[in-house]
Amino acid sequence: MHFPGMPAPLARVVEMFSTLPGVGPKTAMRLGLNLLTRPAGDAAALATALQLLHEQVGFCECCGCFAEQGHCHFCDDPLRDAATLCVVEQPVDVLMMERGHGYRGCYHVLLGRLSPVDGIGPEQLRFAALDRRLAAGGIDEMILATSATVDGEATAHYLANRYRDAGITVSRISRGVPEGGELEYLDEHTLSRAVDQRVAWQRRAGV
Amino acid sequence: MHFPGMPAPLARVVEMFSTLPGVGPKTAMRLGLNLLTRPAGDAAALATALQLLHEQVGFCECCGCFAEQGHCHFCDDPLRDAATLCVVEQPVDVLMMERGHGYRGCYHVLLGRLSPVDGIGPEQLRFAALDRRLAAGGIDEMILATSATVDGEATAHYLANRYRDAGITVSRISRGVPEGGELEYLDEHTLSRAVDQRVAWQRRAGV
């Protein structure tokens, strides 16, 4: 999107913004203009925050979660249940899990999922680190929380197979109707799986 | 939007992003995570561009357009027609006008529009600078390109009245059906104005 007479410093900001996901040229322009018309301190504060982002945030060597200055929020926490390990694809998945407030175990982030088409095999993911954690002992259950996509499901099956003889319980997060979901708007695969994996609430006498 | 375990530097970026127009907490999170998972140079480049935005972009003292280091793209251009002045509300309106490629005159940016409700009267806008430009002479026509809102229309009427005796032509940008507009989807005000302000294409003989 070219605007004749647009100052180059504004054009650079707009160009950078438009590389972000879901931000088209028009939105990028609106964001750039917004920062230009607000007090100079606002753009400077965002600039500083962005500068520090990569300097201060890394990945935990043990679990692969986001880590600030080497310290991971979860591996360091003595109140978390170290015997339960939830395996996810990305650090953001950990943040999503934590929003639920229910899970109190530890995590292992693969930093991706198996995808032969994209050349991503076990070597490209954090399986070696997972092997070491299991070999170190103390883990009773591994919860497979990879995504409910074809690749995510394949990754879960690979994990179950890889640790078949590790002497641990391996479980997969349930599939079904999402909270608040109305049957009218569900896709047929979700609905048929929800019926297949129905949970018994009462059993008739004698069964 | 609170994510337990989210590193503070990421939270700061997300918080800053969510102050931008049209960016909610979820979008801000997506933007922050995107920059965190991309090469560090990308966030740094955006940081630098933002840092330079206010340092390098200001407003032209003469016309009020965006100006880089005091120089305005339009006032400095000898090829622009200095006898025609287009009055707009904001610097961004100038960029929009220039996208059309048709206008070759100069601009005057009011930096707002009259809005008694918000306490914005003639003193708060760049009318004094406009008085000086007209007093300096050489201007034949003033095109009122304020917005087609109640306040924009009031500002246009105020301008027409203020320069009634300035010995210049005062014109207002036309109103009507936008390019590509289908009558089915137009509001009734636009359509009735388009009929009122219809343009004669042929006149019957004798009229």
Side-chain angles (χ1 to χ4, degrees):
Chain A
M1 202 175 213
H2 178 62
F3 287 88
M6 176 156 73
L10 175 61
R12 274 193 294 275
V13 166
V14 171
E15 190 193 323
M16 296 296 313
F17 271 138
S18 66
T19 67
L20 294 171
V23 179
K26 277 198 174 179
T27 303
M29 184 77 185
R30 202 173 66 229
L31 300 183
L33 285 167
N34 176 269
L35 283 169
L36 188 52
T37 49
R38 276 161 57 174
D42 291 0
L46 178 54
T48 305
L50 288 166
Q51 200 69 57
L52 295 177
L53 187 62
H54 279 265
E55 281 176 26
Q56 297 186 343
V57 182
F59 301 107
C60 174
E61 283 187 14
C62 173
C63 72
C65 292
F66 290 131
E68 237 174 304
Q69 291 144 351
H71 292 274
C72 156
H73 182 80
F74 306 104
C75 291
D76 284 356
D77 187 348
L79 296 177
R80 309 280 310 196
D81 171 18
T84 311
L85 205 59
C86 179
V87 181
V88 296
E89 296 173 5
Q90 297 292 351
V92 63
D93 300 336
V94 174
L95 300 183
M96 293 299 159
M97 286 284 297
E98 288 295 301
R99 293 209 79 195
H101 296 294
Y103 182 69
R104 298 300 299 160
C106 287
Y107 292 99
H108 192 84
V109 181
L110 296 175
L111 287 181
R113 55 190 178 206
L114 296 175
S115 179
V117 176
D118 302 315
I120 297 174
E123 297 302 310
Q124 277 71 47
L125 303 178
R126 297 184 68 258
F127 281 113
L130 185 53
D131 290 346
R132 284 195 297 274
R133 291 182 81 175
L134 287 168
I139 292 167
D140 295 332
E141 180 177 359
M142 179 189 293
I143 302 173
L144 307 177
T146 52
S147 61
T149 59
V150 172
D151 286 345
E153 194 72 15
T155 307
H157 281 291
Y158 176 86
L159 278 157
N161 204 46
R162 184 173 179 125
Y163 301 112
R164 183 193 301 269
D165 305 318
I168 54 169
T169 300
V170 175
S171 56
R172 176 85 168 113
I173 51 171
S174 65
R175 302 272 287 272
V177 184
E179 213 58 29
E182 297 191 71
L183 268 56
E184 188 180 351
Y185 303 110
L186 278 182
D187 65 289
E188 65 271 32
H189 307 292
T190 296
L191 195 50
S192 67
R193 192 183 280 257
V195 174
D196 282 350
Q197 302 192 352
R198 64 193 178 278
V199 176
W201 277 18
Q202 291 177 27
R203 294 206 183 272
R204 72 180 158 86
V207 175
Chain B
M1 201 175 212
H2 177 65
F3 286 90
M6 176 156 72
L10 175 61
R12 275 193 294 276
V13 167
V14 171
E15 190 193 323
M16 296 294 315
F17 272 138
S18 66
T19 68
L20 294 171
V23 179
K26 276 199 175 178
T27 304
M29 184 78 184
R30 201 174 66 230
L31 300 183
L33 285 167
N34 176 270
L35 283 169
L36 188 52
T37 49
R38 276 161 58 174
D42 291 359
L46 178 54
T48 305
L50 288 166
Q51 200 69 58
L52 294 177
L53 188 61
H54 279 265
E55 282 176 27
Q56 297 186 343
V57 182
F59 300 107
C60 175
E61 283 185 17
C62 175
C63 72
C65 292
F66 289 131
E68 237 174 304
Q69 290 144 352
H71 292 275
C72 155
H73 182 79
F74 305 104
C75 291
D76 284 356
D77 187 348
L79 296 177
R80 309 280 312 195
D81 171 18
T84 310
L85 205 59
C86 178
V87 182
V88 296
E89 296 174 6
Q90 297 292 351
V92 62
D93 299 336
V94 173
L95 301 182
M96 293 300 160
M97 287 285 297
E98 288 296 302
R99 294 208 80 195
H101 296 295
Y103 181 69
R104 298 301 298 161
C106 288
Y107 292 99
H108 192 84
V109 180
L110 296 175
L111 287 181
R113 55 191 177 207
L114 296 176
S115 178
V117 176
D118 302 317
I120 297 173
E123 296 303 309
Q124 277 71 48
L125 303 179
R126 297 184 68 257
F127 281 112
L130 184 53
D131 290 345
R132 284 195 297 275
R133 291 182 81 176
L134 286 169
I139 292 169
D140 296 333
E141 181 177 0
M142 179 191 292
I143 302 173
L144 307 178
T146 52
S147 60
T149 60
V150 172
D151 287 344
E153 194 71 14
T155 307
H157 281 291
Y158 175 86
L159 279 157
N161 204 46
R162 184 172 179 125
Y163 301 111
R164 184 194 300 270
D165 304 318
I168 54 169
T169 300
V170 175
S171 55
R172 177 86 169 112
I173 50 170
S174 66
R175 304 271 287 270
V177 184
E179 212 59 28
E182 295 191 71
L183 268 56
E184 187 179 351
Y185 303 111
L186 277 183
D187 66 290
E188 64 272 33
H189 308 292
T190 297
L191 194 51
S192 67
R193 192 183 279 259
V195 174
D196 283 349
Q197 302 192 350
R198 63 194 179 278
V199 176
W201 277 18
Q202 291 176 28
R203 296 204 182 273
R204 71 179 158 90
V207 176

